[in-house]
Structures are given as C-alpha cells and as structure tokens.
Amino acid sequence: MAAKKKTKRVGILTAGGDAPGLNSAIRGFGKAAINEHGMELIGFRDGMRGLAENRTVELDGPALSGILTVGGTILGTSRDKVHRMVVDGEARDMIPTIVENYEKNKLDALVCLGGGGTAKNANRLLKAGLNVLHLPKTIDNDIVETDDSFGFETALEIATDAVDRLHSTAHSHHRIIVAEIMGHRAGWLALGSGIAGGADIILLPEIPYTIDSIAQTIEQRVKRGSTFSVVAVAEGARTVEDAAELAAAEALVREADTDEGKAAAKRHKKAVEAKHRENTFTLAHHLEEATGLESRVSILGYVQRGGIPCSHDRLLATRLGTAGAAAVAEGNFGVMVGTQGQQVVHVPLEKVAGKVKYVPTDHEWITAARQVGTGLGD
Ligand code: F6P
C-alpha cells in the first residue's frame, strides 16, 4: 500500500499598507491550497505582529468564501519589522519567537502577502530557516523583478478618476490644482494616472523639479488660452534643492561606520523628510506667487487604496495566489511569485529584498508624457 502523503499545514499573513486585491489573493491561495492540493490553512492576524504574538485564525472553505471583491484585508495588517518589533516600548528581535510559533503551529510553509518591507521581513525569516513564499502587493508598483503587483491597477483607476474630475473644477475657477498622489518614493502611480487623466504637469521623485520650469509650462498654457492647470505630484517628488538635501542625508546614513553615527544620521534624515512633508502645499503657494493664478491642493490620500479591487487586480491576485499554492505543493520556497510579461515567475527573495523599482528616467511612459506636451518640471 502506498504511504499516505502528509497533509501540509500552511500559514498566511498580510503585511505593510493594505491594498485592494489582498483578499482576492488570500482566497486564490486558500482555495487552491485546500481544494487542489489538500493542504490546511491558518491565517495570522495583523501581519508580522500577529505572527510574533501567535494570533491565528482558521481559514477553511467558508472563511474564504465571499471575499474576492472585498477591499482591505480580512486578516488585518501592520508595518512591523521582525528583527526590530516594538514591544513594551522597546525594539526587540522577534525572529526566535516567530520560529517557535511556526513550529508550534506545525507549519510547513508561511505565505507573506506584502510589498518591499514584507519582502525584507520574509527574507529574514527565510534566513532563519522558515519555508517562506512572498506574493507582491502594493499600490506603488515599486517591487523589483515583477511587472505587476496587486493593488496598483485599482489605485491607478482611482487616481485617474480624481485627476479627471479636478479638470472641470480647475477650469471653472481658472485655478491651478495640485493633486498629491501616493507612491512612496516611486512615481509610477502619479505618472500613470497623470498620463491617463491628462494632467498638464506631472512631478515625480525620479525627476526633481524647479518652480520656474512648472511656472513656464503654466504660462505657456495661459498664452494659448488655458487659464487653468492640473498638476499631478507624487508624494515623494522634490525640488532640485530638496532632492539634493535628501540624497546628502541618505549618503550620511550609508557612510556612518559606528552604531551611534548611524543612529544620528538616521535622525537627521528623518528630520529632513519631516521638513519636506509640506512640499505639496509649498509647491502650490510658490506656483500661485509665480503665475498669479489662484492655487489649491487636493491630497488624494487613503482613498487610493480603499474599496473594491478592479478586475485586473482580482485576476492577478487569483493567478498569483493559485500559483503560490502550487509552489508550496512543489516545495518551491524562498521565492516571490510575480509576473514578467504574461508569465508567472518565481524570483529568489534575495533578488527582491531591499531593492526598489523606481521609474527609469528614459522609461517609455515618460517619453509618452513628454510627447503629448506634459510638463515634468525639469
Ligand atoms: O505603500 C503604500 C502606501 O500607501 C504609500 O503609497 C504611502 O507612502 C504609504 O503606504 C502610507 O503609509 P501608511 O499607511 O503607513 O500611512
């Protein structure tokens, strides 16, 4: 008689900022894991924190039903770092506790749904000996080695709709409206929605701007009879001077060779970032001064990552979730399951962790934006 195959027990969690499509991915992974591969699935609540605190939830058929289109994450999330988790006001290395919890739950694998921070955490857990798998989620589209991450397309739709809508009110009032768009340190969301929504100016972290250049674009528009402008600005976009200040602060962090020096450099970098946080309002103020046109700010904020996922993200999350379950069944661990072209690919986590996919300044989206006359502030 053939030996009975051991039932695999798998843990799953969602970490980092929430994004539309997380529940579609939990469902895709869970249904394939249970129905196709005969596995057992448990969820950890609130990302890496729930994993460290061993807060679990059974994920069976009924729990996975009816969540395809639900926004957010049914598991909850957090932005904790496994090696420096704040517990009772102190940063602690929770990796040994997490390894214990993994063993206590008799897990064969742990599936982490998240962005760049989650890839770093997953890689740390991989090095600690856990069988880890990562599925790429982010509205920022800034994960390397994958063309797609669920959440991005939904956010792109929302931000595009906002840029569209700002046109009529900017036009009616002869105003400049500066729309701040998320994306962390990458400009994909601002660039994509700026192009799709027909923004007159798009400002990205990858292309530092000057007020003079933006004012010139606006003045040329006024000369042509357009007495309004919509500016799509990525939250990480900076003036040439501010970008240089931040780059210098980052270099100090990289070059510090003592723990104390590093801590001081990090504090300085945080202070620089805090100073730049008001950038969008400062920009609108300077544009009003430079052009004489009344200026307003619209921060799109968390609306961009709330609500139901679009069809692209539901499809992508289901593809990656089911492919992830197959990877676990095959014992293919230590990888991110992403896409390149039309293909689902398995990329070693060490190639992903700690890297950021910025917009290349010669990217064809940038060429397209320039060729339709969009100002990029440079
Ligand atoms: O990474 C997704 C994202 O929404 C970024 O675009 C944004 O910079 C950040 O998260 C906001 O983070 P938090 O949810 O911690 O405020």
Side-chain angles (χ1 to χ4, degrees):
M1 202 171 74
K4 194 169 173 273
K5 250 173 74 191
K6 179 184 170 285
T7 304
K8 281 192 169 147
R9 262 179 80 75
V10 183
I12 190 166
L13 59 81
T14 56
D18 74 327
L22 276 169
N23 289 326
S24 321
I26 295 171
R27 171 183 175 271
F29 181 90
K31 288 200 174 215
I34 296 169
N35 303 334
E36 186 70 24
H37 305 292
M39 299 176 195
E40 283 173 6
L41 187 63
I42 61 166
F44 288 95
R45 298 220 183 258
D46 301 334
M48 299 295 166
R49 182 155 295 262
L51 179 61
E53 294 172 355
N54 202 24
R55 287 189 281 119
T56 62
V57 51
E58 278 309 312
L59 288 179
D60 51 11
L64 297 168
S65 203
I67 61 169
L68 173 66
T69 61
V70 177
T73 157
I74 56 163
L75 292 174
T77 186
S78 70
R79 284 198 184 277
D80 292 290
K81 295 188 173 106
V82 288
H83 66 308
R84 266 203 333 253
M85 197 174 289
V86 180
V87 181
D88 297 331
E90 249 179 60
R92 291 206 198 142
D93 180 0
M94 298 305 282
I95 296 176
T97 313
I98 287 174
V99 173
E100 249 173 55
N101 290 340
Y102 180 93
E103 282 161 5
K104 222 184 269 173
N105 286 296
K106 299 189 172 29
L107 295 184
D108 297 292
L110 176 71
V111 181
C112 304
L113 279 52
T118 305
K120 285 201 252 180
N121 276 329
N123 200 35
R124 288 182 190 112
L125 297 179
L126 174 72
K127 287 185 183 153
L130 305 193
N131 290 333
V132 180
L133 198 78
H134 173 225
L135 302 187
K137 161 260 28 166
T138 174
I139 67 162
D140 303 337
N141 188 35
D142 61 351
I143 305 176
V144 296
E145 301 285 340
T146 181
D147 292 345
D148 257 334
S149 54
F150 43 88
F152 176 65
E153 286 285 334
T154 308
L156 190 59
E157 291 293 320
I158 298 167
T160 300
D161 181 59
V163 173
D164 276 353
R165 285 170 187 277
L166 292 173
H167 274 83
S168 61
T169 174
H171 179 262
S172 307
H173 285 265
H174 313 285
R175 280 175 176 159
I176 296 168
I177 298 191
V178 180
E180 186 188 283
I181 295 166
M182 275 186 170
H184 199 218
R185 299 284 298 275
W188 296 104
L189 193 54
L191 181 59
S193 59
I195 294 173
D200 306 298
I201 290 139
I202 303 174
L203 305 175
L204 309 175
E206 293 85 352
I207 303 181
Y209 60 84
T210 67
I211 299 292
D212 278 357
S213 163
I214 307 169
Q216 248 179 42
T217 307
I218 292 172
E219 274 153 14
Q220 279 160 8
R221 283 178 49 75
V222 172
K223 274 194 200 131
R224 293 197 302 267
S226 299
T227 54
F228 74 97
S229 284
V230 175
V231 182
V233 56
E235 62 181 347
R238 284 172 165 77
T239 60
V240 170
E241 295 77 22
D242 284 355
E245 187 183 26
L246 183 61
E250 284 171 340
L252 287 179
V253 175
R254 270 197 310 277
E255 286 154 17
D257 49 10
T258 62
D259 285 353
E260 265 176 21
K262 208 161 221 46
K266 279 187 179 167
R267 276 198 301 278
H268 170 65
K269 185 184 146 225
K270 276 209 166 134
V272 169
E273 284 171 333
K275 198 172 79 181
H276 295 171
R277 216 155 275 151
E278 292 296 300
N279 271 354
T280 304
F281 289 95
T282 312
L283 168 65
H285 173 70
H286 285 151
L287 290 181
E288 184 162 310
E289 277 184 346
T291 64
L293 289 175
E294 209 175 27
S295 300
R296 293 284 193 270
V297 169
S298 192
I299 309 266
L300 306 193
Y302 295 91
V303 163
Q304 292 163 102
R305 60 184 218 208
I308 61 169
C310 67
S311 55
H312 176 95
D313 282 335
R314 295 180 204 178
L315 173 60
L316 175 67
T318 306
R319 286 172 64 210
L320 296 185
T322 52
V328 172
E330 286 156 15
N332 189 359
F333 302 119
V335 293
M336 172 188 72
V337 182
T339 63
Q340 287 172 9
Q342 295 304 310
Q343 302 297 318
V344 170
V345 291
H346 301 93
V347 185
L349 263 175
E350 74 216 8
K351 286 179 85 176
V352 181
K355 312 226 169 73
V356 180
K357 182 173 76 181
Y358 295 109
V359 181
T361 49
D362 59 354
H363 193 273
E364 50 115 344
W365 288 14
I366 292 198
T367 310
R370 290 196 197 277
Q371 290 188 3
V372 294
T374 311
L376 296 181
D378 53 347

